[in-house]
Amino acid sequence: MRVEWNVMLKLPGLIDPHVHLREPGATQKEDWDSGTSAALAGGVTMVLAMPNTNPPIFDAETLDIALNAAKVKARCDYAQYVGAGPDNSDIVPSLAFKTAGLKMYLDSTFGELRLDDMTLWQPHFEKYPKEYPIVVHAESRSMAAAILFAAIYDRPVHIAHISLKEEVLLIKAAKERGIKVTCEVCPHHLFLTAGESPSPIALSGGSAATEVEAGRGVRDEGESAGRSEVRPRLATQKDVDALWENLDVIDCFATDHAPHTLEEKDSDNPPPGFPGLETLLPLLLTAVNNERLTIDDIIQKSVINPRKIFNLPEQPETWIEVDETAEYEIKASEQFTRCGWTPFEGWRVKGKVKKVVLRGAEAFKDGEVLAEKGFGRNVR
Ligand SMILES: [Zn+2]
């Protein structure tokens, strides 16, 4: 008889520097309770929440709305970003010590967080304290402009969710010249390409990414990609390959967990965004199994680098236990996110989170979230 020794792999709790928890304003999609439950189920013990809620988080009053909800409901540790708007560059620096960082939407967005031209970027880069990060949503040439601002004002800037070959190569060149730029990549930009509906990941051999049929730009402006609608858009195989080839340039993995309900995603005008908290680690561990990544890469990009870039405290007595040998299919029906779907439905992965210990307490075990609402702490 063969004896199976199921030795668990022990890792530090992961940090996700980019999540949308939808509260305040859209709790039918997610809230601080369901979103942080999804985090724990995914082995994530700390999340940094984005400010484009309703209302958006852009001053002391709106920051309190988010932090009050988080205090009552969060099950894992967290911090909340504040958003840069056209009129708040004088007030956000005074909130820096209470927030994850300043988020700037440099491509199109709406409402209070709209920055129509570069004269509105300038005061934020000038005034926001250098010891706290500025995170930018800036694609392609906007990203180049953001890096120029980092150089001019000699301050760190973190580029959210890079997806293109041109982006990773420019960041590499900027880093080589000493510009203080860091960046993150999302699993969906590493494992999915634009084109036909994605096919399941191969557990062994070959590229984990799907075949590309239609690249970025092939789709007409305004034409919907259905459930695959996401910003930045899914890119081409050439872009995906460039991200994998330049993993050493990429500082962090981030999910950009952005849940929308299935009804919204299947409508005529699907909003952009994917859930991602519960699929991050299984996908990365599968890539480790396929020898495209190492466990050290995961620790570096999901723990050590985010802690350093975002100036985050260590979480004492915090770890996760993973069964590296567990093979299974990803199923939205088993997830804690409220949105009820995943772009990775049916993908076969290898590596399952079995247990999460947060600050000495069992927070997740064998499919069950054990941390109470309100157990999560604001790390700022
Ligand atoms: Zn986002």
Side-chain angles (χ1 to χ4, degrees):
M1 201 179 92
R2 212 167 121 242
V3 180
E4 289 276 339
W5 293 99
N6 251 353
V7 181
M8 295 291 156
L9 171 70
K10 200 172 159 183
L11 297 172
L14 308 187
I15 299 170
D16 188 345
H18 192 147
V19 302
H20 299 264
L21 298 184
R22 305 302 189 204
E23 186 171 12
T27 52
Q28 77 281 8
K29 301 174 200 267
E30 202 79 291
D31 69 0
W32 280 93
D33 174 6
S34 60
T36 54
S37 296
L40 289 171
V44 174
T45 54
M46 192 189 294
V47 292
L48 307 186
M50 286 295 165
N52 61 336
T53 46
N54 186 18
I57 310 310
F58 68 105
D59 61 11
E61 198 188 335
T62 48
L63 180 61
D64 276 347
I65 295 174
L67 291 182
N68 287 339
K71 192 174 184 183
V72 178
K73 292 187 179 179
R75 296 176 194 257
C76 74
D77 293 348
Y78 60 89
Q80 169 68 51
Y81 285 97
V82 65
D87 306 312
N88 68 354
S89 64
D90 282 330
I91 54 168
V92 283
S94 66
L95 302 173
F97 75 102
K98 288 169 82 174
T99 64
L102 179 71
K103 178 69 184 287
M104 300 182 71
Y105 290 90
L106 303 185
D107 293 312
S108 58
T109 191
F110 306 96
E112 283 87 346
L113 305 184
R114 197 174 66 196
L115 298 166
D116 281 332
D117 64 65
M118 286 187 280
T119 62
L120 299 174
W121 305 8
Q122 209 173 327
H124 286 292
F125 274 87
E126 263 171 21
K127 293 173 194 169
Y128 205 71
K130 286 184 185 182
E131 63 271 33
Y132 292 98
I134 288 182
V135 177
V136 296
H137 180 142
E139 300 178 36
S140 186
R141 293 169 196 189
S142 308
M143 188 205 77
I147 293 175
L148 178 63
F149 270 72
I152 291 171
Y153 294 100
D154 188 30
R155 64 147 301 135
V157 66
H158 180 77
I159 315 290
H161 43 49
I162 67 164
S163 64
L164 299 176
K165 180 177 183 176
E166 63 176 32
E167 292 170 349
V168 74
L169 294 183
L170 189 68
I171 290 170
K172 182 171 192 258
K175 283 184 171 190
E176 283 166 2
R177 282 153 186 81
I179 297 173
K180 297 182 178 98
V181 57
T182 54
C183 67
E184 66 190 30
V185 69
C186 304
H188 51 264
H189 291 125
L190 287 175
F191 294 102
L192 298 173
T193 53
E196 302 313 303
S197 52
S199 59
I201 195 170
L203 246 182
S204 57
S207 161
T210 54
E211 292 298 312
V212 62
E213 296 295 337
R216 176 190 299 248
V218 172
R219 194 180 307 123
D220 288 334
E221 230 12 67
E223 195 181 328
S224 164
R227 286 190 197 176
S228 300
E229 202 62 78
V230 68
R231 294 291 177 279
R233 289 189 170 89
L234 297 179
T236 67
Q237 189 63 52
K238 165 187 73 106
D239 295 301
V240 171
D241 290 344
L243 297 178
W244 281 103
E245 281 159 20
N246 292 283
L247 269 185
D248 57 326
V249 178
I250 293 164
D251 300 278
C252 306
F253 294 126
T255 63
D256 193 9
H257 178 81
H260 297 286
T261 64
L262 257 185
E263 196 185 351
E264 293 167 316
K265 291 298 282 185
D266 289 343
S267 71
D268 290 341
N269 191 18
F274 298 157
L277 277 164
E278 287 157 274
T279 44
L280 166 76
L281 191 53
L283 290 169
L284 295 179
L285 289 169
T286 305
V288 170
N289 190 65
N290 290 344
E291 296 179 350
R292 310 191 81 203
L293 207 64
T294 65
I295 293 291
D296 273 353
D297 290 330
I298 298 178
I299 296 173
Q300 198 68 43
K301 296 178 202 300
S302 288
V303 184
I304 295 171
N305 291 345
R307 193 182 283 156
K308 197 161 53 184
I309 293 165
F310 297 92
N311 196 8
L312 299 167
E314 281 196 38
Q315 294 176 290
E317 286 185 82
T318 297
W319 70 87
I320 62 181
E321 291 176 22
V322 168
D323 182 353
E324 283 179 286
T325 63
E327 288 184 30
Y328 59 103
E329 264 183 29
I330 290 174
K331 289 190 187 118
S333 60
E334 293 173 1
Q335 297 196 333
F336 287 87
T337 176
R338 194 163 286 162
C339 69
W341 76 285
T342 162
F344 302 105
E345 183 74 35
W347 283 38
R348 277 201 75 73
V349 287
K350 192 169 180 179
K352 200 176 184 85
V353 179
K354 300 297 282 186
K355 187 167 149 182
V356 177
V357 176
L358 174 54
R359 286 181 276 103
E362 279 189 355
F364 175 85
K365 195 178 177 184
D366 295 328
E368 217 182 316
V369 175
L370 302 174
E372 299 286 334
K373 283 203 275 184
F375 182 72
R377 278 192 200 158
N378 185 349
V379 297
R380 289 280 196 251

